[in-house]
Amino acid sequence: MWDVAEFHEYGDTSSMSVQELVLKQRTAILNALCTCGSSEHLERVMDIMLAQGQLTWEDYQNVQVSGRALYANARQLLDLVYAKGAEACGVFLKALQQVLPELQGVGLSPAAGCGPPEDRQDWQSTSSHSLLSQRPRLVDKLQGCISGALDALTQSGHFSSQDCDQVCLSIHTPCQQARHLLDRVRAKGELAANVLLQYIQERQESGSASHQENLTLSKEFLKYQKKLSSSVSAQSCFLSTYGGTGHMSLDDIYTEGQLELVRDCAGAQEPLSLEDVVGVAGTVNEEADTVLVCGEAGSGKSTLLQRLHLLWAQKAAHQQFLLLFPFSCRRLNSQQKELSVRELLFQHCCWPDRAQEEIFQFILDHPHLIIFTFDGLDELKQSFSDEQRLCCPTQQAPVHVLLFNLIQGSLMKGVRKVVTSRPEAVAPRLKKHLRKELLLKGFSPSGIDCFVRKHHSDPAVAFKVLESLQSNTALLGLCHSPVLCWIVSQCHKELLGCGEGSPQTITDIYLMIIQHFFQHQNPQMSTNRICWLQSHSETVLHLGHLAHEGIKATCYVFSGADLQTYGVTEKDTCLGFLIQSKDMSSMKSKHYEFLHVTMQCFFAALYIVLSDNMDRSAITKLFGLKQMKEPGVQMVCFGSCLLSTSQPERTSDEEATSTENPNLQITATFVSGLLSHRHQTLWTQRVATSAIEKKVRQVDKCLSKGMQKHFKSIPQPVAGEKKSMHAMPGFVWLIKCIYEMQESRIAKEAMSKLEVDHLKLTFCNIGPVECTALAYVLQHLRNPVGLQLDNNSVGDVGVEQLLPCLHICSSLYLRNNNITDEGIRKLIAKGIQCDHFKKIALFNNSLTDACMQHFSLLLKNRKDFISIRLGNNNITAEGAKQLAEGLRVNNSLKYLGLWGNKIGDSGAEALALALEGSTSLCWLSLVGNNIGSAGACALASMIKNSVSLEEIWLSENSIDREGVECVIQALQNNTMVTSIWLKNNNLSSEEVEEMMQRDSRLVF
């Protein structure tokens, strides 16, 4: 056996770099990995490094060579790790200590900054990638159930009997069998990986269920479970419509939104369902307990949680959890007393009639059978912090401290927690504590259709509403937000008989719902907006004052005393804008909240516009994101919403950021819309025209200054590069405010000062609503600009909304935006007419062969188009043949990217023939397209005759020696080509070495 004393041979290693450490301790490391005679230690270290992305699959295969001596394999790994640098060495040493804990404290600790392997979060989301990123865990879980996994794969048609025999070779240990199974499944592709992961999840859940069956649950526990379930069901089964006067069954109306995994790099992924929120899909940190669901205001986060609650209470899903405790962060804001976890659960959710100690002890003893949900983390007064640690579940602390410690796992480790929040409130220090992060993107087009049909029992009415939406794409874009879709459906009579113009902006929609609520209370009231505003101006002001003060204090739940302070009467509460706050704890008095947080923002905006008592700088502070509270003014209500004494309050002259109070931006957006020229006549009966005009000038000035601030931040371009602006979400918000004002003059003035060649808006949560606003403003740019909207939620409707500004776009980048052939059809039809439009990138969308005829038409009509990149879609040989028709007559295209599709040999042959006479193409990528030697030989003919081609990518295909020989011969007649990439094809290492010697332009 090896001796840990070997590691002390070089004395103090604390000052060594990790690379030096790996080099100097090489002999001892080799002995540690190999002396036992088993390859298990080496394989486990390699599993961890694969999962962490420090080894590629090719690296793994080069190290783990069958038949080679164990020491030789280990030396190969050490050479490879050392060559990869400090980061790889650090992960290797941590992996070594994880596999061999006895090495702790013997001089193998990597340098500061090299965290343990489990700290790395990889946001790739495909099942095939999960087989690598979760490899150590999967190897452990598969031991003992190999035969069951093979049965599942055989029944699904992904494994043959020969596959099973190869996995179950008797010479392999159970761990090795598990690894061979994972390797074979990964080679079979995404569908096979899905089957295996689903089998593991079902086995895990059935194991949990069998564990539950083995538990002896007391009568008191079962009584409490029934009481809690009944309370959760009662609070979840209905959606409020008009305060307490109207309800919709959640079962009848619920429509799933677009739920996706958040990831740092684009990759193909399937849409998720509600079941996946607490399932294994997308897990990036097995040790963490918290799942975060992000989404913009109105995207359906609260309704999604409500549906999860109801399914649990109905025993229809999530039965691996015996107890579910739901919390609302906006209601936790009002908790002034310090609480323990026990008090939080029992006082805020459901009080046990008996056996409190016994029930709480069960929760402590079986955390994996419990789930907590926290809705609206962004509505807490305090930003997330992990500085104040708390570990004892019976220790009292401010509620926000309890919540933060629950999220990070210091408290109640093992309990599953599901948290919702708006994206801007999620700081990096929170993300490191997440099991996974999901993004809720609102309704898809089919979701809108489904929701409207569910909302209207009369199919004829539903048809008319949908027909109206299809004729107004701006309104259809707004309906991707579930709350706006609900408003439009609710106001179908106003929509279908609209005499004042169809709604175009979010402000229009909220004015419509306000009018609808008033008319619901008094059906005989005039439909003229000026009339209803005059009739209810006092009610609007009282509710607006309450809403405004609540927004300032980050308060969304109001007591009866709060309502009385601001003159809100019982009659006002019956209108439906306020609903009684759902709280499962027993409360001595009623509490209220606005129907939706955006409704509160809208009333706050109405108050800013209509009130004579507003501070002159209120609008300036609102748009500057400064706290609106005046110095020296004491808050006469909302005492229950003040900060805990353990955290100092912000003084009145400090700024509140949009992360701390994101509802300020929504309120400012509504203020912009309400002060638009189209709506000013509504307010002149109540407010002097001069006062309205002054507020309009203030908003105009704020928007202008906000834009200038962004423009001043644009860095000077590097010599030889284009001037580029990487816009932040705040820029998108200002654009939306300008659109709400519907003033082309303001849009023109804003764009007159923007002088860039490239505008980057990636990862900015751009959906159809934002596309409408962007097009409205960007169409006034003076000079063409490259518009980059990668990794957003544009979709087909968003593409259509962008068309008005396409004439000013020199290039359009729409990677990873869920765009289909229909969106491309409309885009190309417009693009043919736009002279400046010359480049397009659509990587990782949902394109098929059906869209290729449109690209072919584009190439035929636009003899100056430069670049088409369509990687990672669903294009086959048929699509390639259609594209070839356009390529044959086009002599301007320089860049063509089709990587990650399925064009095969026949598709490659069609493209090669079409491009043989091209005098413009300089770059071509056909990576990962199932191309064999026949396709490679056809491309070689094109290479031989090309006068412009410089670089071609053919990696990740099935090209063998014959195909490469054709390429080499073609290169003998072409000196223009600088490189041909051929990594990961059907070539042996000896063949690769030989061919590299023959032509250095071949890259393997």
Side-chain angles (χ1 to χ4, degrees):
M1 288 291 291
W2 62 277
D3 190 344
V4 295
E6 292 182 71
F7 288 96
H8 294 292
E9 179 183 348
Y10 295 98
D12 182 15
T13 61
S14 60
S15 61
M16 288 185 190
S17 72
V18 283
Q19 279 184 289
E20 290 174 335
L21 202 55
V22 169
L23 185 62
K24 293 192 174 183
Q25 300 280 23
R26 181 182 176 92
T27 302
I29 292 173
L30 285 171
N31 288 337
L33 287 171
C34 305
T35 303
C36 66
S38 167
S39 64
E40 183 59 25
H41 292 155
L42 177 64
E43 290 177 348
R44 287 180 63 192
V45 168
M46 291 174 65
D47 287 343
I48 294 170
M49 297 198 69
L50 263 178
Q52 292 300 305
Q54 294 298 332
L55 289 184
T56 66
W57 185 243
E58 185 179 13
D59 293 333
Y60 182 87
Q61 290 178 314
N62 288 338
V63 171
Q64 195 68 357
V65 177
S66 179
R68 190 166 67 184
L70 177 59
Y71 268 96
N73 286 344
R75 290 190 187 97
Q76 178 76 10
L77 176 61
L78 287 175
D79 292 342
L80 184 63
V81 168
Y82 184 80
K84 283 179 176 286
E87 183 181 357
C89 290
V91 173
F92 169 77
L93 292 178
K94 283 292 183 182
L96 189 64
Q97 290 182 340
Q98 186 174 327
V99 171
L100 297 166
E102 56 267 39
L103 298 185
Q104 296 284 349
V106 294
L108 278 181
S109 296
C114 295
E118 61 269 22
D119 284 346
R120 180 180 181 271
Q121 291 190 353
D122 195 329
W123 301 92
Q124 284 269 17
S125 55
T126 65
S127 295
S128 296
H129 184 271
S130 295
L131 297 186
L132 288 183
S133 64
Q134 300 180 32
R135 186 177 176 93
R137 181 182 69 86
L138 294 175
V139 168
D140 290 340
K141 287 186 177 296
L142 282 169
Q143 294 180 59
C145 65
I146 296 289
S147 59
L150 290 174
D151 288 343
L153 289 161
T154 303
Q155 290 170 13
S156 63
H158 293 99
F159 263 37
S160 65
S161 57
Q162 289 83 0
D163 291 319
C164 297
D165 291 343
Q166 287 298 314
V167 170
C168 294
L169 289 174
S170 57
I171 60 172
H172 293 152
T173 67
C175 287
Q176 289 173 329
Q177 288 180 350
R179 292 186 182 97
H180 281 287
L181 174 59
L182 291 173
D183 298 345
R184 280 189 172 266
V185 169
R186 187 171 178 273
K188 298 284 185 180
E190 186 71 8
L191 294 177
N194 273 330
V195 170
L196 180 61
L197 291 177
Q198 186 65 32
Y199 167 78
I200 293 171
Q201 178 181 356
E202 289 173 356
R203 189 174 186 275
Q204 185 174 339
E205 290 176 354
S206 64
S208 178
S210 63
H211 178 64
Q212 290 182 25
E213 291 171 6
N214 294 332
L215 287 174
T216 302
L217 303 176
S218 69
K219 290 183 179 179
E220 293 302 329
F221 178 87
L222 292 172
K223 285 181 182 178
Y224 179 72
Q225 185 187 43
K226 184 177 180 180
K227 181 180 180 181
L228 177 62
S229 177
S230 177
S231 297
V232 171
S233 177
Q235 297 294 335
S236 305
C237 59
F238 291 109
L239 286 174
S240 297
T241 55
Y242 301 101
T245 64
H247 293 88
M248 295 182 292
S249 167
L250 186 64
D251 280 331
D252 294 339
I253 198 67
Y254 182 75
T255 303
E256 285 203 346
Q258 300 176 91
L259 189 65
E260 296 180 359
L261 290 163
V262 173
R263 70 276 187 202
D264 284 338
C265 49
Q269 63 168 293
E270 294 296 319
L272 302 179
S273 67
L274 184 59
E275 292 288 330
D276 295 310
V277 172
V278 291
V280 298
T283 300
V284 295
N285 185 354
E286 278 289 324
E287 299 303 313
D289 305 317
T290 300
V291 176
L292 178 67
V293 180
C294 284
E296 297 295 337
S299 60
K301 302 183 296 296
S302 299
T303 307
L304 178 141
L305 273 192
Q306 190 173 334
R307 181 64 174 168
L308 186 150
H309 298 162
L310 183 61
L311 291 175
W312 176 81
Q314 293 173 337
K315 299 188 182 303
H318 315 301
Q319 293 307 290
Q320 65 268 39
F321 303 109
L322 294 182
L323 299 176
L324 182 150
F325 294 94
F327 299 95
S328 164
C329 291
R330 67 169 58 172
R331 289 162 204 144
L332 292 179
N333 262 337
S334 62
Q335 179 62 53
Q336 283 185 290
K337 283 176 53 182
E338 292 192 354
L339 299 175
S340 65
V341 172
R342 171 178 166 170
E343 292 166 333
L344 179 70
L345 298 180
F346 293 162
Q347 292 182 19
H348 278 264
C349 285
C350 182
W351 185 265
D353 296 325
R354 297 185 183 85
Q356 296 170 25
E357 291 290 345
E358 174 193 326
I359 292 167
F360 188 63
Q361 191 59 49
F362 180 92
I363 294 170
L364 296 178
D365 292 342
H366 305 92
H368 60 287
L369 301 179
I370 315 297
I371 182 171
F372 298 165
T373 66
F374 296 95
D375 188 28
L377 182 66
D378 53 288
E379 293 179 355
L380 274 183
K381 295 181 74 69
Q382 300 84 0
S383 298
F384 177 82
S385 170
D386 54 7
E387 294 177 0
Q388 191 171 348
R389 290 300 178 98
L390 188 67
C391 301
C392 178
T394 58
Q395 181 181 343
Q396 291 186 331
V399 169
H400 71 275
V401 174
L402 288 182
L403 175 54
F404 296 159
N405 279 275
L406 286 168
I407 288 174
Q408 62 188 306
S410 301
L411 274 175
M412 306 301 290
K413 181 68 178 171
V415 171
R416 186 65 52 84
K417 300 101 179 177
V418 180
V419 180
T420 68
S421 175
R422 285 181 236 179
E424 59 266 28
V426 182
R429 61 180 175 273
L430 169 60
K431 291 195 175 189
K432 68 181 181 181
H433 300 295
L434 298 181
R435 185 178 183 86
K436 61 181 169 184
E437 183 179 358
L438 307 170
L439 179 63
L440 187 58
K441 302 168 76 169
F443 288 152
S444 64
S446 61
I448 295 172
D449 185 276
C450 178
F451 179 84
V452 171
R453 293 184 188 280
K454 284 184 175 183
H455 192 270
H456 297 287
S457 56
D458 185 345
V461 173
F463 176 79
K464 288 180 180 178
V465 172
L466 291 169
E467 191 177 44
S468 177
L469 292 179
Q470 292 298 331
S471 65
N472 182 347
T473 54
L475 186 59
L476 179 62
L478 292 170
C479 285
H480 283 261
S481 168
V483 70
L484 298 182
C485 192
W486 171 77
I487 292 175
V488 168
S489 295
Q490 195 75 16
C491 303
H492 67 278
K493 291 182 180 177
E494 291 85 349
L495 177 67
L496 298 176
C498 192
E500 299 183 24
S502 184
Q504 298 292 317
T505 68
I506 298 175
T507 305
D508 293 345
I509 287 182
Y510 276 79
L511 281 171
M512 188 168 67
I513 193 67
I514 297 286
Q515 179 179 348
H516 177 78
F517 271 47
F518 282 132
Q519 287 184 320
H520 177 77
Q521 196 72 13
N522 182 11
Q524 305 304 317
M525 187 182 70
S526 169
T527 58
N528 184 284
R529 283 182 180 171
I530 295 178
C531 294
W532 68 252
L533 183 63
Q534 286 178 332
S535 303
H536 297 278
S537 59
E538 291 302 317
T539 297
V540 170
L541 278 173
H542 294 157
L543 288 170
H545 199 180
L546 177 75
H548 182 247
E549 294 300 321
I551 293 291
K552 290 198 299 183
T554 321
C555 183
Y556 308 99
V557 179
F558 310 100
S559 67
D562 297 333
L563 270 60
Q564 187 176 3
T565 300
Y566 292 99
V568 179
T569 65
E570 186 174 347
K571 184 179 179 181
D572 295 337
T573 62
C574 292
L575 289 168
F577 302 116
L578 291 173
I579 59 174
Q580 191 169 339
S581 181
K582 295 178 183 177
D583 196 325
M584 285 183 251
S585 62
S586 56
M587 301 182 70
K588 296 180 180 178
S589 60
K590 293 180 179 179
H591 283 66
Y592 298 87
E593 57 190 277
F594 280 86
L595 188 61
H596 192 268
V597 67
T598 55
M599 187 74 78
Q600 182 174 345
C601 294
F602 187 70
F603 270 101
L606 280 169
Y607 183 74
I608 291 172
V609 171
L610 292 175
S611 176
D612 297 326
N613 301 321
M614 289 301 302
D615 167 35
R616 287 178 297 178
S617 62
I619 289 178
T620 303
K621 291 179 178 178
L622 178 66
F623 279 87
L625 300 178
K626 293 180 180 179
Q627 190 172 13
M628 295 182 285
K629 191 167 66 175
E630 279 298 297
V633 176
Q634 297 294 321
M635 294 296 288
V636 294
C637 69
F638 311 122
S640 61
C641 296
L642 295 178
L643 291 170
S644 163
T645 54
S646 65
Q647 182 161 326
E649 292 186 46
R650 191 191 300 112
T651 59
S652 58
D653 58 346
E654 288 182 300
E655 292 187 356
T657 66
S658 58
T659 300
E660 292 169 335
N661 193 346
N663 294 319
L664 289 172
Q665 285 192 351
I666 299 176
T667 304
T669 305
F670 282 135
V671 169
S672 302
L674 292 171
L675 289 172
S676 70
H677 182 73
R678 302 184 315 142
H679 298 314
Q680 287 179 22
T681 54
L682 290 174
W683 326 125
T684 52
Q685 300 295 322
R686 171 79 198 187
V687 185
T689 302
S690 59
I692 292 294
E693 290 175 348
K694 182 178 180 180
K695 291 178 180 180
V696 170
R697 288 193 298 271
Q698 285 182 306
V699 172
D700 193 347
K701 186 176 180 181
C702 288
L703 293 176
S704 178
K705 284 190 172 182
M707 282 293 187
Q708 289 176 28
K709 181 179 179 182
H710 282 277
F711 298 160
K712 288 178 180 178
S713 68
I714 302 173
Q716 290 300 315
V718 178
E721 293 187 3
K722 292 183 176 182
K723 190 174 184 180
S724 178
M725 173 183 172
H726 192 162
M728 304 305 289
F731 175 80
V732 180
W733 163 60
L734 290 171
I735 292 284
K736 290 171 71 175
C737 289
I738 293 173
Y739 175 72
E740 289 293 316
M741 291 201 80
Q742 291 287 291
E743 293 281 353
S744 58
R745 172 188 57 82
I746 299 175
K748 287 178 181 177
E749 289 177 359
M751 292 299 98
S752 68
K753 299 179 178 66
L754 179 58
E755 297 179 358
V756 293
D757 301 302
H758 191 83
L759 181 58
K760 190 174 182 181
L761 288 158
T762 58
F763 292 104
C764 282
N765 296 310
I766 305 289
V769 175
E770 291 74 21
C771 288
T772 305
L774 279 170
Y776 179 82
V777 176
L778 294 182
Q779 64 181 316
H780 298 293
L781 279 166
R782 291 181 175 180
N783 299 308
V785 66
L787 182 59
Q788 188 169 354
L789 295 170
D790 298 337
N791 300 295
N792 284 297
S793 309
V794 172
D796 291 344
V797 176
V799 166
E800 189 171 0
Q801 295 306 102
L802 287 171
L803 297 184
C805 73
L806 193 60
H807 68 280
I808 204 69
C809 293
S810 58
S811 55
L812 187 59
Y813 300 86
L814 290 166
R815 300 176 180 94
N816 195 38
N817 268 290
N818 199 30
I819 297 166
T820 72
D821 301 328
E822 178 60 19
I824 295 306
R825 180 184 68 80
K826 296 177 180 178
L827 178 65
I828 298 300
K830 178 70 173 179
I832 289 173
Q833 306 167 22
C834 301
D835 293 339
H836 295 302
F837 179 51
K838 296 181 180 180
K839 297 179 182 179
I840 190 165
L842 290 157
F843 173 84
N844 195 39
N845 280 287
S846 302
L847 309 184
T848 70
D849 295 335
C851 75
M852 299 308 280
Q853 59 180 316
H854 304 299
F855 283 106
S856 182
L857 185 64
L858 175 70
L859 291 171
K860 290 176 181 178
N861 285 273
R862 289 291 307 280
K863 299 302 176 64
D864 58 351
F865 211 81
I866 296 174
S867 177
I868 296 176
R869 299 173 189 256
L870 305 175
N872 205 28
N873 281 286
N874 299 297
I875 300 164
T876 70
E878 182 59 35
K881 292 173 184 177
Q882 291 185 33
L883 182 64
E885 293 298 317
L887 291 169
R888 188 172 289 110
V889 297
N890 181 280
N891 239 330
S892 65
L893 196 71
K894 293 184 177 181
Y895 306 95
L896 177 60
L898 290 169
W899 61 98
N901 285 288
K902 303 168 186 175
I903 70 167
D905 283 334
S906 59
E909 289 168 354
L911 293 176
L913 186 62
L915 291 168
E916 200 165 62
S918 173
T919 58
S920 60
L921 191 75
C922 60
W923 182 89
L924 174 65
S925 176
L926 298 174
V927 172
N929 263 286
N930 299 328
I931 297 172
S933 288
C937 290
L939 289 166
S941 177
M942 182 264 292
I943 293 169
K944 177 180 178 180
N945 298 312
S946 176
V947 296
S948 58
L949 191 65
E950 298 175 5
E951 190 173 10
I952 182 169
W953 287 71
L954 296 172
S955 302
E956 306 287 346
N957 281 296
S958 304
I959 302 169
D960 58 20
R961 185 184 186 98
E962 178 188 355
V964 181
E965 287 285 0
C966 291
V967 172
I968 291 175
Q969 291 176 21
L971 286 174
Q972 292 175 1
N973 297 286
N974 190 321
T975 58
M976 285 287 296
V977 175
T978 60
S979 59
I980 297 182
W981 294 76
L982 289 160
K983 288 186 175 182
N984 297 330
N985 277 283
N986 293 347
L987 299 166
S988 67
S989 56
E990 292 80 8
E991 287 174 324
V992 167
E993 187 67 30
E994 175 200 338
M995 291 172 178
M996 286 176 63
Q997 297 295 327
R998 290 172 63 183
D999 198 312
S1000 61
R1001 290 176 290 177
L1002 300 180
V1003 183
F1004 294 95

